[in-house]
Amino acid sequence: MSTDTLTVTDNRTGKKYEVPIVDGAIRASDLRQFKLDPADYGLMSYDPAFTNTASTKSSITYLDGDEGILLYRGYPIEQLAEKSTHLETAYLILNGELPTAPQLAKLEAEIKKHWFIHENIKHLIDAFRHDAHPMGMFISAVGASSSFHPESANIFDPAIRNEQIVRLISEVPTIAAFSYRHIRGLPVVYPDDDLSYTGNFLSMMFKRTEHHYKPNPVLERALDILFILHADHEQNCSTNTMRAIGSAHADPYVALAGAAAALYGPLHGGANEAVVRMLSKIATTKNIPEFIASVKRGEGKLMGFGHRVYKNFDPRGKIVKQLAYEVFEVTGRNPLLDVALELERIALEDDYFITRKLYPNVDFYSGLIYQAMGLPTPFFPVLFAIPRTVGWLAQWVELLEDPEQKIARPRQVYTGEPSRDYVSIDARRGQ
């Protein structure tokens, strides 16, 4: 008997089964052999929210939540944040290896070629109310872009597919910046080929009357690091959505719009927004003890602590905390930083949070940085969507090239009424 198997006895029938174990997993379809009789469908695994179900094999991101490890294509996130740029990391995530200097220069040139969006997309954004949520504009504009690039439906043509990937990475900061200018009531600023990816994004958001916008190098680098940290994160809610839509062979624009819609949710991309709201509500350090007590009473949540996967420090959180100090040297100290630091100190010394393995995650300090840069909290999910576009697209390509993947179609455990006959409306009195 192979040691790489799981031997299971079905106590309903007394039969014993041997199930192969590959890469630490068994195939759910192998459970189908557990039957009461030949007509029986067989066993299914029931796993609400996919807490212990692998839906794919992937070589993009490795995450060890117990040890607090995050790797892109094998490279530690700490090294990439320190030494890389967002576009270099994007090339790595998409292609599997870090680029050579000519390869990176080519990608940067292609990005600049595509970062203007069709004027009709700008008109679509203009049609929104000034107080509309920027994420609604972002999702609508990305989805509508599909109609401007009908060739994108040819998802199995590598050349066409790669062009759409570059175009999307190029256009999402432009769409985001235009939505920001719209809610501010300001005229749009078009892309500047003389600037970097993040420098251009800062220009499109913050340029006023100056002839040539010069981004602050500290803020430009900070944004680059934040984009690296958010580029991919394994099979999270929005990535799973991207893969599910992509499995139907939808084009990348509508698939990405769907992924962004998942990111829009407050439990996902809105987490750092919730942290800032929490810190603003606490207001001062003297209010922290009562807030901690209320959390323990079940009257609220400690936002920015804990993670579905990490049961240790989120490695991105440590990087963002240090980054916050560098940004505040330029923007001025965010008054909520003292609240955040004291809240973190108390929580990390409290057995209630320690036993529950609740440690600061990437959202705890990133919102403070964005706020210090002058960005409104509703804009935070959009800032998440820009870099995550890279990861979504890499996961999408991996899905299309995986021969084991089919259209996503989970099973269900039916708990409704058994088969019954229709009752006429006259006979339903008293029901």
Side-chain angles (χ1 to χ4, degrees):
M1 182 180 295
S2 171
T3 57
D4 293 328
T5 60
L6 179 69
T7 302
V8 182
T9 300
D10 187 343
N11 292 325
R12 301 172 304 170
T13 62
K15 291 183 178 180
K16 188 174 290 187
Y17 300 88
E18 188 176 346
V19 180
I21 299 173
V22 180
D23 296 326
I26 65 169
R27 284 187 175 271
S29 58
D30 285 340
L31 298 176
R32 293 280 303 277
Q33 63 187 305
F34 293 70
K35 298 183 177 184
L36 293 175
D37 56 66
D40 186 4
Y41 177 83
L43 284 184
M44 296 185 296
S45 59
Y46 177 61
D47 189 9
F50 311 112
T51 57
N52 194 42
T53 296
S55 62
T56 187
K57 295 177 181 178
S58 180
S59 62
I60 298 170
T61 298
Y62 174 77
L63 198 161
D64 186 329
D66 291 329
E67 296 298 324
I69 295 172
L70 176 61
L71 311 176
Y72 291 162
R73 301 288 190 178
Y75 291 96
I77 192 65
E78 295 87 350
Q79 293 182 19
L80 293 172
E82 179 186 357
K83 301 175 181 179
S84 188
T85 65
H86 174 59
L87 286 186
E88 184 182 55
T89 300
Y91 186 98
L92 167 69
I93 290 173
L94 289 164
N95 298 284
E97 298 293 342
L98 288 167
T100 62
Q103 288 171 333
L104 181 58
K106 180 182 178 183
L107 174 61
E108 291 172 343
E110 290 175 344
I111 290 290
K112 292 179 179 181
K113 175 183 174 183
H114 288 293
W115 62 18
F116 279 81
I117 62 174
H118 197 287
E119 281 292 291
N120 284 358
I121 296 295
K122 183 177 79 70
H123 297 329
L124 173 64
I125 294 172
D126 288 340
F128 282 85
R129 285 173 53 96
H130 72 281
D131 55 355
H133 198 291
M135 198 61 171
M137 301 183 209
F138 181 87
I139 294 167
S140 300
V142 171
S145 296
S146 169
S147 62
F148 291 90
H149 307 292
E151 73 279 8
S152 66
N154 298 318
I155 59 174
F156 292 105
D157 184 317
I160 293 176
R161 188 169 66 201
N162 290 336
E163 184 176 18
Q164 310 317 309
I165 289 172
V166 171
R167 180 178 279 124
L168 271 163
I169 295 171
S170 305
E171 290 186 355
V172 291
T174 307
I175 291 171
F178 282 16
S179 69
Y180 170 79
R181 301 288 288 199
H182 182 71
I183 62 176
R184 289 298 200 209
L186 298 170
V188 299
V189 175
Y190 289 97
D192 186 339
D193 286 352
D194 292 333
L195 298 174
S196 69
Y197 188 82
T198 49
N200 173 64
F201 182 52
L202 289 170
S203 172
M204 289 190 293
M205 286 195 297
F206 298 129
K207 183 179 180 181
R208 298 185 67 84
T209 60
E210 62 268 49
H211 177 68
H212 185 70
Y213 180 86
K214 293 183 179 180
N216 183 289
V218 174
L219 300 184
E220 183 178 11
R221 178 58 185 158
L223 199 58
D224 220 37
I225 292 173
L226 287 167
F227 281 5
I228 291 171
L229 299 181
H230 287 97
D232 194 58
H233 206 239
E234 207 217 37
Q235 302 305 311
N236 52 77
C237 178
S238 57
T239 299
N240 182 58
T241 303
M242 182 79 181
R243 280 179 169 267
I245 299 173
S247 74
H249 293 174
D251 72 65
Y253 296 92
V254 295
L256 199 138
L263 188 72
Y264 194 173
L267 294 182
H268 191 5
N272 54 8
E273 184 178 352
V275 170
V276 171
R277 289 199 175 108
M278 176 191 70
L279 296 174
S280 299
K281 185 176 180 180
I282 297 172
T284 66
T285 55
K286 68 180 182 180
N287 294 329
I288 292 177
E290 172 52 30
F291 174 77
I292 292 289
S294 70
V295 171
K296 293 179 179 180
R297 292 193 299 267
E299 298 171 0
K301 290 185 178 181
L302 182 56
M303 304 305 297
F305 272 67
H307 194 277
R308 174 73 167 270
V309 178
Y310 292 114
K311 306 306 175 187
N312 200 325
F313 279 94
D314 180 342
R316 302 169 302 170
K318 296 178 181 179
I319 298 169
V320 172
K321 182 179 180 179
Q322 178 57 42
L323 190 63
Y325 287 104
E326 297 172 13
V327 170
F328 297 158
E329 286 291 322
V330 174
T331 64
R333 188 180 179 91
N334 190 320
L336 294 179
L337 178 62
D338 292 331
V339 178
L341 290 170
E342 182 65 6
L343 184 60
E344 179 186 33
R345 184 190 69 79
I346 292 175
L348 291 179
E349 294 176 355
D350 194 308
D351 286 341
Y352 177 89
F353 300 103
I354 294 172
T355 57
R356 289 166 173 76
K357 297 184 178 181
L358 298 177
Y359 298 95
N361 58 43
V362 69
D363 299 308
F364 192 65
Y365 286 101
S366 61
L368 294 180
I369 294 175
Y370 291 141
Q371 188 181 60
M373 293 173 67
L375 295 163
T377 52
F379 198 66
F380 292 177
V382 179
L383 294 165
F384 197 152
I386 296 170
R388 185 54 58 86
T389 292
V390 172
W392 288 333
L393 291 168
Q395 298 273 351
W396 173 70
V397 171
E398 193 173 62
L399 164 91
L400 296 178
E401 295 181 343
D402 184 351
E404 290 191 313
Q405 290 295 323
K406 301 177 181 179
I407 185 170
R409 203 334 186 151
R411 300 288 302 182
Q412 67 171 21
V413 177
Y414 179 67
T415 60
E417 297 286 346
S419 178
R420 50 183 174 170
D421 292 327
Y422 178 82
V423 179
S424 67
I425 193 167
D426 292 337
R428 295 179 217 159
R429 296 190 184 95
Q431 288 189 0

